[in-house]
Amino acid sequence: MDFDDDMILDQGPAVTITEAGDNFVNFALQKVDLSFANSLRRVIMAEIPIMAIDLVEIEVNSSVLPDEFLCHRLGLIPLVSKNCTEDVEYTRECDCDQYCSRCSVTLSLHAKCTSNEIMKVYAADLLVDHDRANPWVGTPVITDAEGKGTVICKLRNGQELRMKCIAKKGIGKEHAKWAPVAAVGFEYDPHNKLKHTDLWFEKSIAEEWPASKHAEWEEPAQEGERFDPDAEPDKYYFEVEGVGNLAPDQIIHEGIKVLQTKLATILNALGETKEDAGERFLPDDDVDMGGRNDFDNGYTTPGYNGPSYGNHGRATPYGATPYGQSGY
Amino acid sequence: MAPNKSTEEPVAAPASSQEDETMEEDVALQEADAANPAIYNLGDSRIQLLPGGDEFNTSFEFQKEDHTLGNALRYIIMKNPEVDFCGYSIPHPSEALMNIRIQTFPPYTAQEALNKGFEDLIALCDVVADTFTTERNAFAANQESQMQT
Ligand SMILES: [Zn+2]
């Protein structure tokens, strides 16, 4: 597949997917500013809510691993988190005293080794309590052929584990176990024409710095070409690698949604002091209620297969670039 | 949680709830004024106006925000032709504070520019989300047809 600039007729943002699989999506985002592309990357890594084990009540642990070591390993087990943004509450915002089925998922683990062979305890051995926000949230992600998942611990004859794990909703900013991605690759300007980075070299940059895999998508600088100080980056290569909690396209959509919710919440709050600016963003039936409105309704993007797009009729004012010139 | 006296009272006298709300706002204002007379609250307590500005030259302080919001907002506000200058900074890496400075051409106010910045960024997000979905569906359909042949 080739990136063909001529294919992009309008000046609005463009996306070209180069590769996608069950756990990853590689795409190029074009015609947006570096700041926006970077915001998207940051929000994907740090601010998409997912589920992870956060509280462990240990009854028995006679394994060789200390309690906190085990808890850390349990926290890192990926749990299915589809729709948890809407369906699951944050424990700190929930009405319950400690935790409940609306803000947590309980997984119990009981394993005892009774033979002379070393026994492995796997993520699949976690028993999920069915009293939860939706029928899939909190189930350990298992992708290996044997269906066992990650190893939590090994037990010798007579050793035992018995514990109750409470999974809660959180974001990667608080702890990396709540990050929906293993990594987000982010690259632009593979030939360093913009000189945003200073490549150290002994004799020759070309010989000492191997070309990136995205180098072939862009023209290298011509011999004797003058440096253009006004040039701006325009094409960003994302490689989003999920861990299984969310499908890769869900990660992108959730990321954009988190960013929008962040913006809408502040805009809405600003509107409380300055009515004329904020009011038109409030849903009609909420205008008279005073106080703070839940802004989610106004700004969620349509569902993945929503009928509103798929053609070139853009619903937002951004199709027609508001400030003249080329798009964002 | 410890019972809060001021929140209990309006329940006993619902007729005066409107008054109590305005009173609470006044209290919030007074508290902010006491801490620093030049800083007063905007609607969201996470945003404050920093001293030393006027309607057209304003510095906003955002609590619990960082480069994720700051850089994108700065860019989109600068795109507004009514805006003379916009810049953001994170004054100290260990404080979760982000300042954004907006200078506009009167009569357009800095607050209007800020609001428009938010609206524009939300709209941009919509377009990117839609574009991604369209492309993702096309990619999936293409893969499927390749599998069949
Ligand atoms: Zn709860």
Side-chain angles (χ1 to χ4, degrees):
Chain A
M1 197 174 184
D2 201 4
F3 286 108
D4 193 349
D5 285 330
D6 297 334
M7 294 290 285
I8 299 149
L9 296 172
D10 59 26
Q11 289 293 298
V15 170
T16 315
I17 296 179
T18 49
E19 261 184 292
D22 292 341
N23 260 341
F24 72 97
V25 58
N26 298 349
F27 63 96
L29 179 61
Q30 275 170 279
K31 310 264 184 246
V32 297
D33 186 66
L34 175 59
S35 61
F36 180 79
N38 193 40
S39 289
L40 182 57
R41 178 192 67 87
R42 288 173 64 96
V43 98
I44 286 172
M45 292 212 299
E47 293 181 51
I48 298 177
I50 58 162
M51 302 295 290
I53 291 172
D54 192 40
L55 191 66
V56 185
E57 295 167 6
I58 295 176
E59 284 172 56
V60 180
N61 172 21
S62 51
S63 76
V64 291
L65 299 185
D67 292 358
E68 42 276 76
F69 197 147
L70 267 179
C71 295
H72 182 241
R73 291 183 67 77
L74 286 164
L76 294 174
I77 295 170
L79 305 177
V80 175
S81 304
K82 194 180 163 209
N83 293 355
C84 87
T85 313
E86 290 87 25
D87 295 353
V88 185
E89 299 279 338
Y90 282 111
T91 309
R92 59 177 172 274
E93 287 167 10
C94 191
D95 297 329
C96 62
D97 283 337
Q98 203 183 358
Y99 55 82
C100 70
S101 61
R102 273 173 292 129
C103 64
S104 69
V105 178
T106 305
L107 300 98
S108 41
L109 180 64
H110 186 195
K112 185 171 186 177
C113 180
T114 50
S115 78
N116 279 324
E117 251 174 72
I118 287 179
M119 176 187 172
K120 286 179 182 167
V121 184
Y122 292 94
D125 298 325
L126 288 161
L127 274 182
V128 189
D129 190 331
H130 291 289
D131 189 16
R132 50 181 163 169
N134 66 37
W136 54 78
V137 74
T139 310
V141 173
I142 289 161
T143 48
D144 58 314
E146 287 121 72
K148 289 174 171 173
T150 46
V151 176
I152 298 167
C153 182
K154 290 180 185 176
L155 299 178
R156 235 188 126 185
N157 198 356
Q159 294 177 345
E160 187 181 5
L161 290 179
R162 190 157 65 223
M163 52 193 66
K164 191 171 143 191
C165 312
I166 315 299
K168 296 179 184 175
K169 188 167 90 166
I171 57 169
K173 215 188 235 180
E174 190 175 339
H175 193 288
K177 68 185 175 187
W178 280 301
V181 289
V184 181
F186 183 84
E187 188 185 15
Y188 63 94
D189 186 27
H191 299 291
N192 194 29
K193 283 161 90 173
L194 303 170
K195 306 257 183 260
H196 282 195
T197 184
D198 187 20
L199 300 174
W200 184 90
F201 65 99
E202 282 184 351
K203 292 194 181 75
S204 148
I205 289 178
E207 277 167 36
E208 291 161 42
W209 287 89
S212 98
K213 65 190 272 196
H214 302 119
E216 56 188 284
W217 306 123
E218 287 183 25
E219 281 298 312
Q222 300 304 307
E223 185 116 7
E225 186 181 322
R226 287 187 66 186
F227 172 66
D228 177 4
D230 295 325
E232 301 248 10
D234 185 46
K235 202 171 190 177
Y236 311 90
Y237 305 95
F238 280 81
E239 296 180 306
V240 177
E241 185 189 334
V243 230
N245 337 56
L246 295 172
D249 54 333
Q250 281 170 347
I251 295 174
I252 310 293
H253 279 283
E254 284 294 323
I256 295 173
K257 216 163 77 180
V258 167
L259 196 55
Q260 279 186 315
T261 312
K262 183 199 279 285
L263 295 161
T265 315
I266 301 173
L267 181 61
N268 192 35
L270 282 171
E272 282 172 18
T273 32
K274 200 168 178 354
E275 302 89 304
D276 55 340
E279 207 164 57
R280 69 192 116 118
F281 270 84
L282 298 172
D284 280 342
D285 43 354
D286 281 343
V287 169
D288 297 326
M289 291 183 58
R292 202 159 289 175
N293 293 285
D294 181 2
F295 223 77
D296 280 354
N297 299 329
Y299 284 103
T300 44
T301 48
Y304 297 170
N305 300 309
S308 57
Y309 39 82
N311 52 27
H312 287 287
R314 294 264 154 76
T316 59
Y318 264 74
T321 55
Y323 299 135
Q325 302 169 11
S326 61
Y328 288 82
Chain B
M1 230 209 272
N4 189 330
K5 207 165 181 234
S6 65
T7 53
E8 273 174 0
E9 275 169 355
V11 182
S16 64
S17 67
Q18 184 60 47
E19 246 177 63
D20 285 324
E21 248 176 56
T22 37
M23 266 174 65
E24 269 172 36
E25 269 175 33
D26 287 348
V27 170
L29 271 175
Q30 279 162 13
E31 278 171 4
D33 287 351
N36 183 343
I39 296 180
Y40 45 101
N41 275 329
L42 289 179
D44 189 336
S45 58
R46 282 166 61 220
I47 308 168
Q48 291 184 325
L49 292 179
L50 293 178
D54 58 38
E55 262 182 291
F56 313 107
N57 306 278
T58 313
S59 296
F60 302 89
E61 183 193 72
F62 287 74
Q63 284 167 13
K64 294 184 189 166
E65 291 298 346
D66 54 18
H67 300 281
T68 307
L69 184 73
N71 200 4
L73 199 57
R74 182 218 106 246
Y75 165 76
I76 213 106
I77 290 172
M78 268 311 279
K79 275 274 175 187
N80 188 337
E82 303 285 345
V83 172
D84 184 24
F85 170 84
C86 182
Y88 86 103
S89 86
I90 287 168
H92 195 281
S94 59
E95 278 182 317
L97 293 175
M98 187 272 288
N99 292 350
I100 192 156
R101 170 80 176 178
I102 305 173
Q103 295 174 198
T104 55
F105 300 114
Y108 197 84
T109 64
Q111 175 119 47
E112 280 176 283
L114 183 67
N115 278 298
K116 175 137 177 64
F118 279 114
E119 292 167 19
D120 287 351
L121 212 46
I122 288 166
L124 175 59
C125 285
D126 271 335
V127 173
V128 173
D130 291 359
T131 314
F132 183 83
T133 310
T134 312
E135 185 61 27
R136 164 82 212 188
N137 292 345
F139 184 83
N142 188 31
Q143 290 248 305
E144 220 163 81
S145 65
Q146 273 184 357
M147 296 264 274
Q148 280 163 359
T149 50

